[in-house]
Amino acid sequence: MLQILLTNDDGYHAAGLKALIEALSGIARITVVAPAKNKSACGHSLTLDRPLRMICMKDDFYKIDDATPTDCVYLSLGNLFKEGYKPDLVVSGINIGANMGEDITYSGTASAAMEAVIQGIPAIAISQVCRNMSQGIDDGMDFDLAKETIVKLVKKIINGSFPLDERKFLNVNIPAIKADECKGFKITKAGYRKYGNDSHRHLNPRGEEYYWIGLHPLIWVPSEDKSCDFEAISDGYVSITPIKLDMTSYKDIENLENWLVD
């Protein structure tokens, strides 16, 4: 059977991780290593300023105190799997909330997949878009479509191969609709999201300032050919975006060389 390492950025107790385990435990050998608490929007960060404890909750299920998703992948690959017996695949999610456009750079869910492919393991990041992010998955949505999607993708890997080469991963977003309402899959590019600056200033009982960073609505710049992840989700499709870690802007290399000479 395929050996899969599961992680997330919502914490080891998250409903999305439980749904992922339910979906894949029947078709693969599962090991779970997840943060002990929510680490959303932590990006591709490693914890270097303190030691980390990996705690076994039950067979093949671990939490790591105050760890990031990147920590979870990094430490599990180096300590739970013997050389020559690395997992065949890392799946990160099911995240509660979208990870589209530039959200990928913030996302702990996507960053766990980034760490996996850096370490030479194919990876999928999967996220459930919510109708009302302030309520999360409690807005009446379930994970049925997300579970169906990840099973289809993993079965294709089992019966064939991972579709991308090294240092690339699949970023999957699930629309906030029922499974029987989905129109299918669309291969997309990452769109351009419009961001505000939604920060809220408050005073604690001692008169000291503190701030909460808020949640932004899913607003994006339309693409000419309607080929981005936001548009696929809006149209009722599962969005699958191939992501590469090489962020070099190759078309600008010659321009920069000329700019330095001038």
Side-chain angles (χ1 to χ4, degrees):
M1 294 181 75
L2 204 71
Q3 173 70 56
I4 302 180
L5 172 63
L6 304 184
T7 191
N8 72 348
D9 73 356
D10 291 322
Y12 76 100
H13 49 69
L17 180 60
K18 293 176 182 177
L20 192 58
I21 295 168
E22 291 172 3
L24 295 179
S25 59
I27 61 173
R29 295 193 303 272
I30 300 297
T31 300
V32 180
V33 183
K37 62 181 182 180
N38 189 301
K39 285 289 183 175
S40 295
C42 66
H44 192 196
S45 58
L46 278 171
T47 301
L48 303 178
D49 61 346
R50 60 189 179 277
L52 297 170
R53 293 181 62 236
M54 185 182 297
I55 301 168
C56 183
M57 307 299 292
K58 57 185 178 181
D59 288 348
D60 299 320
F61 193 114
Y62 302 83
K63 69 174 183 178
I64 303 182
D65 278 345
D66 206 26
T68 68
T70 300
D71 291 329
C72 291
V73 173
Y74 186 92
L75 292 176
S76 58
L77 292 179
N79 294 277
L80 294 182
F81 299 95
K82 297 179 181 179
E83 194 61 41
Y85 294 92
K86 300 294 185 182
D88 302 294
L89 179 69
V90 170
V91 181
S92 181
I94 300 167
N95 188 65
I96 297 175
N99 278 309
M100 299 185 287
E102 292 87 352
D103 284 349
I104 297 167
T105 64
Y106 292 106
S107 168
T109 302
S111 294
M114 292 179 194
E115 186 61 28
V117 298
I118 285 174
Q119 299 286 340
I121 311 296
I124 300 172
I126 180 167
S127 303
Q128 173 65 62
V129 180
C130 298
R131 293 193 186 101
N132 184 346
M133 192 55 210
S134 66
Q135 296 178 4
I137 203 65
D138 293 330
D139 66 356
M141 285 308 306
D142 55 44
F143 292 105
D144 288 348
L145 179 55
K147 291 163 70 174
E148 287 183 14
T149 297
I150 196 63
V151 167
K152 287 180 182 178
L153 295 178
V154 169
K155 283 184 174 179
K156 286 190 70 67
I157 294 170
I158 291 172
N159 296 325
S161 61
F162 191 71
L164 305 177
D165 52 20
E166 62 181 16
R167 296 190 179 233
K168 298 176 183 178
F169 69 93
L170 295 177
N171 187 49
V172 180
N173 281 274
I174 307 297
I177 57 179
K178 296 296 183 180
D180 59 4
E181 299 171 338
C182 182
K183 296 178 181 177
F185 293 175
K186 271 196 177 180
I187 307 303
T188 59
K189 63 185 179 185
Y192 294 160
R193 184 170 178 179
K194 291 184 178 181
Y195 289 94
N197 193 321
D198 189 21
S199 59
H200 302 266
R201 175 182 175 273
H202 300 275
L203 296 176
N204 69 17
R206 297 185 178 183
E208 299 167 326
E209 290 184 358
Y210 67 93
Y211 297 85
W212 275 107
I213 294 177
L215 296 169
H216 301 285
L218 284 178
I219 302 173
W220 64 92
V221 178
S223 60
E224 292 184 3
D225 55 358
K226 291 181 68 66
S227 62
C228 80
D229 42 13
F230 294 100
E231 288 155 335
I233 290 296
S234 179
D235 291 340
Y237 290 89
V238 170
S239 167
I240 303 177
T241 308
I243 302 295
K244 64 177 182 177
L245 271 60
D246 182 355
M247 295 185 286
T248 306
S249 181
Y250 288 98
K251 70 177 183 180
D252 292 311
I253 290 177
E254 185 177 350
N255 291 337
L256 279 175
E257 289 172 344
N258 295 333
W259 177 71
L260 286 174
V261 171
D262 290 342

